[in-house]
Amino acid sequence: MSVVSPENPVQSSGFGFAPTENQKMISEMIRSFAAREMTPEKVMQYDEAQQFPHELILKLGELGLLGIIFPEEYGGAGFGYLEYVTAVEELSKVDGSVGITVAAHNSLGTNHLFQFGTDAQKRKYIPGLAGGKELAAWGLTEPSSGSDAAGMLSTAIKDGDHWILNGTKNFITNSHTGSLAVVLAMTDRAQGNHGISAFVIEKGTPGFSAGKKENKLGLRASETGQLVMDNCRIPYENLLGNVNEGFKQAMKILDGGRISIAALALGMAEGALEASIKYSKERKQFGKPISDFQAIQFKLADMATEIEAAKLLTMRAAAMKDEGKNTTKESSMAKLYASEVSVRVASEAVQIFGGYGYIKEFPVEKFYRDVKLCTIGEGTSEIQRVVIAKNLMK
Ligand code: CAA
């Protein structure tokens, strides 16, 4: 079943307080898929083994989720950000590792090609990626430049009708399974962030390899590793957009990417809340379910209220993106708030589960580990505050 069918034409995504028909359809489709394919046993198995769920991701590709935000003419499903955010949220309720894999592929790697590639580049790369046969990675961060993204050391030097790239990208999602990566490199160091350019590099290019794969606290089934460029020679036409415009391109891509991290955080927080409500009704102490105690009810009430607020910020940013508006501030607000909420919610969920929250047989142990990434990846909470404040002062 594909997410696109004639009965479900692309809808205008005007943001109301109720989900659109397309959002409802995507939620239902993912819920029934997850009930079959993402059982708690499977999710924990992949997590424990730090195993990337290849088969599962291929099946998500068949559902159209690896090209959800790209037009049908490029092999995508032709939906907007509201539907995309709903998909990431639903997947992350069950397993954040799957949520982040789909998110990084759609909104970072593939979207950079879609936003800044020429028509020829788009036709060459996007159908395979959006059709779900291949995954994209995106490389901005380096071992010595995280928050200070423009402090990168990677270089790209023009050599006739080629570029020669050197450097290492760090903490890259889909580093090993990606069939290509969009990477940022210095083309004119003297110009600082105005001297950075973006390139697409295909897997198998001599001098381009996946390096160390990280052993992580959470989101362990998603793949995070290094990309190494060692005198990697690529054709001149692998440049994306104009020379020295890569930093602004990357910031624009992160405007979209940060909405996905908000959706990832939101989904995991919702998953932790659902599990907490269920458990609190089942667990008896002092002769009654712990959900009868106000101490537990107040925790659940705060968790639910903060989740609703995070959802409103996330959906507002997504709706603005669908309307073609600038979302720099709103994306950062959604990402900052939703990620901090997910950490608080997961912590309270473990508290509600008590000792059972601390062991792996129950789902909240994993949520507790997984959510922390959201306050760090695609810009820390501190960087989101920098971005929001800069926009307030404009
Ligand atoms: N849209 C368009 N332009 C933007 C922009 C945006 N959102 N943000 C900044 N710019 C422009 C500015 O207007 C400015 O333009 P001019 O110089 O022409 O005036 C230029 O870009 C430089 O902006 P700043 O002066 O604000 O740049 P800065 O060096 O001070 O950095 C920063 C700003 C917000 C701290 C930025 O470096 C940043 O976001 N850092 C965090 C990076 C990040 O999120 N990294 C995670 C990447 S994820 C990854 O790599 C791995 C993966 O797989 C997930």
Side-chain angles (χ1 to χ4, degrees), residues 309-320:
K311 186 158 187 158
L312 289 174
L313 281 175
T314 306
M315 293 301 171
R316 179 187 64 160
M320 284 176 65

Side-chain angles (χ1 to χ4, degrees), residues 38 43 46 91-100 219 221 366 370:
M38 296 167 73
V43 166
Y46 283 126
L91 290 169
S92 307
K93 275 186 199 172
V94 188
D95 188 4
S97 287
V98 175
I100 197 172
L219 299 177
K366 181 171 178 300
D370 286 352

Side-chain angles (χ1 to χ4, degrees), residues 104 108 138-141 146-150 170-173 193-194 247-248 251-252 254-255 258 326 328 377-380 383-384 386-387 390 394:
L108 297 180
W138 190 72
L140 175 67
T141 301
S147 294
D148 180 12
N170 219 23
F171 302 139
I172 306 305
T173 308
N193 59 35
H194 290 269
F247 186 77
K248 278 191 196 174
M251 292 298 114
K252 286 181 187 159
L254 284 171
D255 285 349
R258 286 168 181 163
N326 182 298
T328 305
E378 298 198 35
T380 60
I383 288 297
Q384 304 315 317
V386 167
V387 172
K390 267 191 189 178
K394 267 185 184 167

Side-chain angles (χ1 to χ4, degrees), residues 59-106:
K59 287 180 184 167
L60 293 179
E62 285 163 17
L63 293 180
L65 296 178
L66 296 185
I68 187 163
I69 48 173
F70 303 104
E72 291 174 76
E73 64 166 310
Y74 293 108
F79 285 106
Y81 246 69
L82 273 180
E83 290 82 7
Y84 162 60
V85 154
T86 301
V88 174
E89 177 192 359
E90 286 297 340
L91 290 169
S92 307
K93 275 186 199 172
V94 188
D95 188 4
S97 287
V98 175
I100 197 172
T101 301
V102 169
H105 164 81
N106 267 286

